[in-house]
Amino acid sequence: VSGARGSRDMEILDYAKKLVHDDAADVVRRALVGTIELDQRRARRLFTLIFLLTNELPAALVGHHGH
């Protein structure tokens, strides 16, 4: 993806990823109620860890997957 349009497309994808991870963090927090208390940031990071450990992703994608 190159040029101004490509840059905008990447911004849109990053925003969509953020929304999905935020929603997933809420699911993680609800699943762990009564077991462990997590703030949104830690629940989001826990979701990311679970996601990366349970999915076979290309190394280049994993290296790019940062917060």
Side-chain angles (χ1 to χ4, degrees):
V1 180
S2 63
R5 178 160 162 58
S7 178
R8 180 69 179 142
D9 289 347
M10 289 304 292
E11 289 177 23
I12 291 168
L13 287 173
D14 282 344
Y15 184 72
K17 183 191 89 163
K18 179 193 179 312
L19 292 176
V20 168
H21 282 232
D22 286 347
D23 286 348
D26 289 338
V27 171
V28 168
R29 289 175 74 184
R30 285 192 303 270
L32 295 175
V33 166
T35 304
I36 187 170
E37 189 172 324
L38 294 172
D39 60 24
Q40 181 69 14
R41 183 182 66 84
R42 287 193 174 111
R44 194 171 189 277
R45 293 186 72 155
L46 180 58
F47 166 75
T48 300
L49 178 62
I50 292 166
F51 177 82
L52 291 173
L53 290 173
T54 59
N55 290 277
E56 293 184 28
L57 300 174
L61 183 59
V62 173
H64 179 69
H65 192 90
H67 288 276

